[in-house]
Amino acid sequence: MTRDTRHDPLAELSAQGVAVWLDDLSRELLASGELQLLITGRHVVGVTTNPTIFASALAKGDRYDGQLRDLAELGASTETAIFAVTTDDVRAACDVLAPVYQQTAARDGRVSIEVDPRLAQDAERTIAEARQLWWLVDRPNLFIKIPATTASLPAISQCLSEGISVNVTLIFSIERYRAVMDAFIEGVERARAAGHDLTNLASVASFFVSRVDTEVDKRLDKLGSPEAVELRGKAAIANARLAFQAYEEAFAGDRWTALAEAGAKPQRPLWASTGVKDPAYDDTMYVVDLVTRGVVNTMPEATLDAVADHGVIRGDTIRGEYASAVATMTALADAGIDMADVVDVLEIEAVEKFETSWNELLESTKAELERLAKADSQ
């Protein structure tokens, strides 16, 4: 049986209004031209990064040796070296995606870089680092990633008010998502009052998906009842669909209409953590079951490849599914799943994981700087 090579699920996904982004970045991806190939061949129109991605990139190959050797020669601190290396990669990716940015009128073609996750509970230092990253990368198609912790909400509004585009990350609950959208609208209102060009100001809200199922499924397995088993793998998609319903409500009022008339773009929902953690599940489910116009789906390359190979795009799989999503959440509550506790645990774990990755990045970079300095002195 010959495969239909004309079938292109990622093109179909794009046609449905979903922006396809890549959740990965490395100097190898840039230098080899693979990122450009993903743009032209896999319909990728944006890139997201995080400390885990950078730690992995620096651990592979020797693409960073030359720059790190120069930094070691200059006696640069580990933190300075990390800023130099990561902002160089992100700047280069911004340049690769610049044509997409122009073609989409500043909607896509964006690249995200995250503030130090250790600052998640300190709004003032988050703002200061966001400004520094914005200045260092110096590209209009940059996103500064700020975590959606309660403490960081003022940082979101402040950065937007200064004309800094923001990717709000680590969102798990609909309640927190509403607070994020409020912070966004406030920031855009303040940007307008300050005279900033709203047509280039942008934001996405990264709503995490697969981790919700991982935590809920663990609790369902402990319950062990037939009803609990039946609910495995359903929480994350229901939660995300209800998040989109909240998005529609938030951007339907007069407050947003006034900003839209001034050229502002809505803060698009971005589905993050879309790689399937449980091998028993369809490896494309967090993509094909979350399709609707006006969203972003950022995928690790393995998920991107899976969708390209065998993803089945069935049209809009969010609008029209709100009642079934509510029914799923009700059934979870009836089974004994406390979703408020689930999302609290997930936020704490997510911040801790990114802090761990950041510390690993610090340690590996420090070791590499010391290795190169020692080699040059011999």
Side-chain angles (χ1 to χ4, degrees):
M1 183 175 179
T2 304
R3 182 181 171 189
D4 183 0
T5 56
R6 295 169 298 175
H7 179 55
D8 188 345
L10 291 170
E12 295 172 17
L13 190 65
S14 298
Q16 288 292 326
V18 178
V20 177
W21 289 13
L22 176 70
D23 192 28
D24 193 19
L25 184 63
S26 68
R27 198 154 293 182
E28 178 62 29
L29 195 70
L30 290 160
S32 66
E34 185 180 353
L35 177 58
Q36 184 61 58
L37 290 174
L38 291 172
I39 294 167
T40 55
R42 290 291 173 88
H43 311 282
V44 168
V45 293
V47 170
T48 52
T49 69
N50 59 49
T52 303
I53 286 170
F54 281 126
S56 175
L58 265 71
K60 297 175 183 175
D62 58 2
R63 292 280 188 185
Y64 298 92
D65 282 6
Q67 186 177 13
L68 288 173
R69 183 174 287 108
D70 289 342
L71 289 163
E73 180 67 26
L74 292 169
S77 69
T78 304
E79 288 81 1
T80 297
I82 288 173
F83 265 90
V85 168
T86 57
T87 55
D88 275 3
D89 279 4
V90 168
R91 187 183 304 106
C94 283
D95 289 344
V96 173
L97 280 154
V100 176
Y101 178 75
Q102 296 296 331
Q103 291 159 13
T104 61
R107 182 177 176 84
D108 284 303
R110 302 273 181 168
V111 185
S112 299
I113 187 169
E114 188 155 354
V115 297
D116 184 336
R118 297 173 300 179
L119 306 179
Q121 305 304 329
D122 189 331
E124 290 305 316
R125 292 184 67 195
T126 293
I127 293 165
E129 183 156 311
R131 289 170 178 151
Q132 184 179 21
L133 288 168
W134 187 255
W135 175 78
L136 281 169
V137 176
D138 192 27
R139 294 295 185 273
N141 52 331
L142 177 68
F143 270 138
I144 304 297
K145 288 179 78 174
I146 297 175
T149 57
T150 301
S152 291
L153 292 175
I156 296 164
S157 297
Q158 182 60 36
C159 288
L160 287 162
S161 77
E162 296 178 16
I164 297 172
S165 294
V166 175
N167 175 345
V168 185
T169 188
L170 298 183
I171 308 172
F172 297 96
S173 77
I174 296 166
E175 180 182 6
R176 183 63 54 77
Y177 182 34
R178 291 185 189 278
V180 165
M181 290 187 285
D182 283 344
F184 165 75
I185 291 174
E186 178 190 334
V188 176
E189 287 174 336
R190 288 164 55 188
R192 181 187 183 187
H196 290 290
D197 180 2
L198 301 188
T199 61
N200 290 324
L201 185 63
S203 183
V204 291
S206 295
F207 203 90
F208 278 48
V209 186
S210 67
R211 295 188 193 185
V212 173
D213 273 342
T214 300
E215 180 63 25
V216 171
D217 286 357
K218 181 173 65 177
R219 299 183 184 206
L220 291 170
D221 290 343
K222 285 184 179 179
L223 292 170
S225 66
E227 294 81 8
V229 171
E230 183 65 24
L231 288 166
R232 293 185 87 259
K234 295 183 178 179
I237 289 170
N239 195 45
R241 285 171 173 169
L242 292 176
F244 189 81
Q245 183 182 40
Y247 160 79
E248 288 189 307
E249 293 168 356
F251 289 94
D254 292 341
R255 187 181 177 194
W256 174 251
T257 300
L259 292 171
E261 289 173 351
K265 299 178 176 67
Q267 181 188 55
R268 286 184 292 172
L270 179 151
W271 310 130
S273 183
T274 56
V276 172
K277 306 292 192 294
D278 189 332
Y281 296 153
D282 173 13
D283 57 1
T284 69
M285 64 184 281
Y286 298 124
V287 178
V288 301
D289 287 340
L290 290 174
V291 174
T292 197
R293 185 162 298 280
V295 301
V296 179
N297 195 306
T298 187
M299 312 174 212
E301 195 162 359
T303 302
L304 190 74
D305 290 343
V307 175
D309 180 68
H310 53 266
V312 179
I313 310 303
R314 308 185 307 277
D316 194 316
T317 51
I318 294 182
R319 292 181 171 94
E321 298 294 333
Y322 300 147
S324 64
V326 169
T328 296
M329 302 308 279
T330 300
L332 286 164
D334 290 344
I337 300 300
D338 182 349
M339 284 301 296
D341 184 66
V342 166
V343 296
D344 284 348
V345 167
L346 287 170
E347 180 178 300
I348 292 167
E349 288 183 349
V351 172
E352 289 177 348
K353 285 177 181 176
F354 276 179
E355 285 181 358
T356 298
S357 294
W358 189 264
N359 289 329
E360 290 173 354
L361 180 58
L362 284 168
E363 289 301 316
S364 60
T365 304
K366 180 182 178 183
E368 193 67 9
L369 287 169
E370 291 173 349
R371 181 185 70 82
L372 292 167
K374 183 178 180 181
D376 288 345
S377 67
Q378 292 176 346

